[in-house]
């Protein structure tokens, strides 16, 4: 019999909740304070170096907005790179934050390129802009709109595409400035297609590799022998895939190799990796008894490396979402002209790189937990398939000319892994399930849930049948996260466009 809670117990529980709330509030205040310090440092730097130039006040404001956008990219988008590694416990949260922060900054500064496209994905036609002033206002409004939407999505716990956010902002501000005819609607159609293509392709590839591992390694009698055979091939394949991925996405602005060269380097990476990995797997498996946790431990190191490489590639590519519009504003102010590709001043690159890393360290854990553990439970094997899918889907999509989003791929892969687990679990439970309570007569020996279902059957047979099906089917994917994330994906471009248009009219009204 459960003892009745006393007034003292209730008071202590209330006090613990109060203490937890005060601690969370203090932590949030500290993070917001550090973010404000970073933005003030951005404004102070620009004011010190460009304070005497014409329209320096506008440049200072643009630098702060660019820094704010970079903070939000780090808070939201980077979770896709390290979330699976943290959820599988291959990396601790602190370790993941520092690995990702270092490699994000390194990717942005070392491989971010010297020139950036100012009109993201060719969404609007710059020739439609009446003058440089209008163009600058459009870029400023788009940058701030994307940052605000990312901030809201992070608060709601929804990982969204930063590229789609800035695309929506550019589209909305561009339409507000010159009308709907300035938008390249065919490009917008391709982006809308990526809402569906990216998560489905990522989920299918991740689920396919997980099914392969289950049926070739985990569901066989001698798991250790199977692991010695297949794990070196899987890890070497992952190395080859990430080599090709980095060649295509990570260092393309430093060295753009042709397709044949990229494939040959990928094959070489596979061959050079296979023998040492096979030797390492054999050494690690000598004392193994075949438990799943032991087999899963063989994937830990590849997961850590994949998190670092994904962060490097992300930093080299997605930093442009923060510094592209900022570089356009700087060039527009200095040249007094509309620019479709702008050189990146080092201070702009540093703001983007440090902002992404700072946003990750301060606000990244919330989305990392969502991707890594709240959608479905991950272990090193499942996280391996998610990381591999993130690289492989981009390669396949690029080869087929399909538009994809790295955020949608990673999250779709997590859902794909979860739904495969759920399907296999449901199948096993159906095979192993005892006959329904009505067929065995009476309620003797039944557990409490079965007794409740039997009682419900007397009142409403249909409701009892649904309850029994739910009891037999374990839901291993949290549906509410699927609905929240899918809604955020669909709303991202329209929300960015609405904010972009609203902010354009606000900025124009303030400047005129």
């Amino acid at each position: 019999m459960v003892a009745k809670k006393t007034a003292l117990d209730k008071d202590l529980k209330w006090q613990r909740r109060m203490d937890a709330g005060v601690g969370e509030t203090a932590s949030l205040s500290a993070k917001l304070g550090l973010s404000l310090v970073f933005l003030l440092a951005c404004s102070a730097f620009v004011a010190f170096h460009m304070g005497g130039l014409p329209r320096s006040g506008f440049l200072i404001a643009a630098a702060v907005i660019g820094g704010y956008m970079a903070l939000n990219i780090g808070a939201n988008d980077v979770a896709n790179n390290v979330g699976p590694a943290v959820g599988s416990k291959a990396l601790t949260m602190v370790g993941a934050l520092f690995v990702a922060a270092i490699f994000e900054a390194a990717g942005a500064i070392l491989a971010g390129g010297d020139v950036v496209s100012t009109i993201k994905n060719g969404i609007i036609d710059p020739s439609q802009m009446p003058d440089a002033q209008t163009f600058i206002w459009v870029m400023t409004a788009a940058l701030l709109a994307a940052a605000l939407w990312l901030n809201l999505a992070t608060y709601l716990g929804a990982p969204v595409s930063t590229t789609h956010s800035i695309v929506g902002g550019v589209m909305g501000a561009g339409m507000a400035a010159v009308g709907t005819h300035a938008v390249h609607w065919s490009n917008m159609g391709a982006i809308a297609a990526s809402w569906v293509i990216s998560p489905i392709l990522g989920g299918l590839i991740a689920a396919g590799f997980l099914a392969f591992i289950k049926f070739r390694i985990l569901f066989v009698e001698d798991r250790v022998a199977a692991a010695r055979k297949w794990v070196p091939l899987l890890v070497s394949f992952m190395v080859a895939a990430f080599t090709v991925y980095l060649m295509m996405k990570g260092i393309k602005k430093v060295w753009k190799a042709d397709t044949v060269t990229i494939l040959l380097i990928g094959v070489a990476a596979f061959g050079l990796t296979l023998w040492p990995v096979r030797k390492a797997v054999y050494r690690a498996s000598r004392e193994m008894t075949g438990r799943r946790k032991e087999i899963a431990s063989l994937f830990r190191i590849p997961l850590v490396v994949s998190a670092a490489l994904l962060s490097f590639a992300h930093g080299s590519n997605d930093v442009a979402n923060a510094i592209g519009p900022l570089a356009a504003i700087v060039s527009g102010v200095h040249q007094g002209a509309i620019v479709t590709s702008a050189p990146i001043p080092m201070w702009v690159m540093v703001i983007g790189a440090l902002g992404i890393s700072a946003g990750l360290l301060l606000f990244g854990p919330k989305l990392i937990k969502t991707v890594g553990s709240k959608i479905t439970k991950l272990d090193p094997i499942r996280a391996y398939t998610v990381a591999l899918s993130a690289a492989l889907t981009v390669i396949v999509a690029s080869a087929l000319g399909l538009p994809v989003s790295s955020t949608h791929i990673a999250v779709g892969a997590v859902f794909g892994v979860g739904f495969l687990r759920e399907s296999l679990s449901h199948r096993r439970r159906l095979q192993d399930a005892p006959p329904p309570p009505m067929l065995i007569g009476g309620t003797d020996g039944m557990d409490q849930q079965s007794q409740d279902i039997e009682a419900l059957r007397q009142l409403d047979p249909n409701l009892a049948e649904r309850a029994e099906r739910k009891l037999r089917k374990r839901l291993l994917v949290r549906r509410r996260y699927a609905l929240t994330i899918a809604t955020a994906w669909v709303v991202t471009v329209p929300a960015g466009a609405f904010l972009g248009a609203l902010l354009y009219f606000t900025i124009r009204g303030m400047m005129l």
Side-chain angles (χ1 to χ4, degrees):
M1 185 175 179
V2 180
K4 186 177 180 180
K5 290 186 177 181
T6 64
L8 179 60
D9 293 330
K10 294 179 181 179
D11 289 342
L12 289 174
K13 185 177 181 180
W14 178 83
Q15 184 63 46
R16 285 194 296 270
R17 288 180 177 177
M18 284 290 295
D19 291 343
V22 170
E24 289 179 4
T25 302
S27 176
L28 179 60
S29 299
K31 292 174 181 178
L32 293 175
L34 290 173
S35 300
L36 182 59
V37 169
F38 171 74
L39 297 179
L40 289 174
C42 293
S43 64
F45 178 86
V46 177
F48 180 77
H49 286 277
M50 301 182 181
L53 296 177
R55 306 187 64 189
S56 59
F58 198 88
L59 286 177
I60 294 171
V64 171
I65 295 172
Y68 176 52
M69 175 63 171
L71 285 171
N72 283 289
I73 292 175
N76 191 289
D77 214 26
V78 183
N80 309 311
N81 305 327
V82 298
V86 173
S88 66
K89 296 182 173 56
L91 275 173
T92 63
M93 178 65 76
V94 174
L97 289 174
F98 280 99
V99 166
I102 291 170
F103 279 87
E104 285 280 340
I109 294 174
L110 299 178
D114 299 320
V115 177
V116 67
S117 173
T118 60
I119 308 294
K120 189 67 180 176
N121 288 39
I123 294 304
I124 60 172
D125 183 2
S127 64
Q128 299 289 329
M129 294 290 163
D131 50 51
Q133 184 62 70
T134 301
F135 177 76
I136 292 171
W137 291 345
V138 166
M139 289 295 103
T140 305
L143 189 60
L144 183 55
L148 288 171
W149 170 248
L150 282 175
N151 199 335
L152 177 60
T154 303
Y155 174 77
L156 296 176
V160 297
S161 170
T162 57
T163 299
H164 289 180
S165 300
I166 195 67
V167 161
V170 170
M171 182 182 74
M175 286 194 298
V178 295
T180 58
H181 60 277
V183 179
H184 292 153
W185 292 106
S186 60
N187 292 347
M188 287 304 306
I191 289 172
S194 74
W195 297 341
V196 179
I197 294 171
S198 298
I200 290 179
L201 197 55
L204 289 175
I205 290 177
F209 275 97
L210 181 59
F212 179 88
I213 293 172
K214 282 182 175 292
F215 287 102
R216 291 293 182 178
I217 301 177
L218 300 179
F219 292 171
V220 301
E221 187 174 349
D222 191 345
R223 289 181 174 180
V224 176
R228 289 173 178 172
K229 176 182 179 181
W230 290 111
V231 171
L233 292 171
L234 289 167
V235 173
S236 299
F237 182 75
M238 184 183 199
V239 171
F242 269 95
T243 300
V244 173
Y245 176 74
L246 285 175
M247 294 282 293
M248 294 173 60
K249 296 294 182 181
I251 60 172
K252 65 178 182 179
K253 296 175 184 177
V254 179
W255 177 39
K256 192 170 184 178
D258 59 85
T259 304
V260 175
T261 301
I262 292 175
L263 291 177
L264 288 175
I265 292 175
V267 172
F270 179 88
L272 292 172
T273 307
L274 184 58
W275 184 81
V277 172
R278 181 167 287 162
K279 191 173 180 180
V281 168
Y282 181 81
R283 283 200 308 267
S285 63
R286 280 184 297 189
E287 304 297 327
M288 288 185 178
T289 60
R291 292 186 301 126
R292 180 192 172 95
K293 186 175 291 187
E294 294 175 336
I295 304 299
S297 67
L298 298 174
F299 292 91
R300 289 185 183 275
I301 294 177
L303 266 178
V304 175
V305 175
S306 71
L309 295 181
L310 283 171
S311 296
F312 183 90
H314 179 270
S316 67
N317 279 279
D318 281 34
V319 69
N321 291 326
I323 66 173
L326 180 56
I329 295 167
V330 173
S331 295
V333 170
H334 286 168
Q335 300 177 23
I338 299 172
V339 288
T340 56
S341 60
I344 307 174
M346 182 51 68
W347 65 268
V348 172
M349 183 67 80
V350 169
I351 284 178
L354 294 183
I356 289 177
S357 296
L360 169 67
L361 291 171
L362 294 174
F363 304 104
K366 182 174 184 177
L367 269 295
I368 289 175
K369 290 177 182 176
T370 297
V371 175
S373 59
K374 291 189 176 180
I375 296 173
T376 192
K377 184 178 179 181
L378 295 177
D379 65 5
I381 293 175
R382 299 168 197 146
Y384 160 85
T385 65
V386 172
L388 179 59
S389 175
L392 204 57
T393 304
V394 172
I395 296 171
V396 172
S398 298
L400 297 176
L402 300 174
V404 291
S405 162
S406 60
T407 299
H408 295 189
I409 290 169
V411 177
V414 174
F415 278 110
V417 164
F419 283 123
L420 176 67
R421 291 180 58 222
E422 192 173 283
S423 176
L424 294 176
S425 174
H426 181 43
R427 183 181 304 175
R428 288 196 302 271
R429 288 170 70 87
L430 286 178
Q431 292 172 349
D432 301 337
M438 285 293 289
L439 299 181
I440 60 178
T443 60
D444 294 339
M446 290 193 300
D447 60 22
Q448 184 61 47
Q449 288 178 314
S450 297
Q451 293 182 35
D452 292 341
I453 291 175
E454 181 62 21
L456 183 61
R457 196 186 306 277
Q458 308 301 324
L459 301 174
D460 189 336
N462 293 328
L463 189 59
E465 185 179 353
R466 287 198 297 270
E468 191 170 14
R469 283 202 305 267
K470 185 175 181 181
L471 175 62
R472 293 190 178 201
K473 183 175 181 180
R474 297 172 63 199
L475 297 181
L476 302 180
V477 178
R478 295 181 180 176
R479 267 54 175 179
R480 69 183 183 91
Y481 285 101
L483 180 61
T484 300
I485 292 171
T487 302
W489 286 353
V490 173
V491 170
T492 291
V493 172
F498 173 77
L499 288 172
L502 181 64
L503 290 168
Y504 171 78
F505 288 125
T506 302
I507 292 171
R508 189 183 68 172
M510 292 172 61
M511 301 302 291
L512 291 178

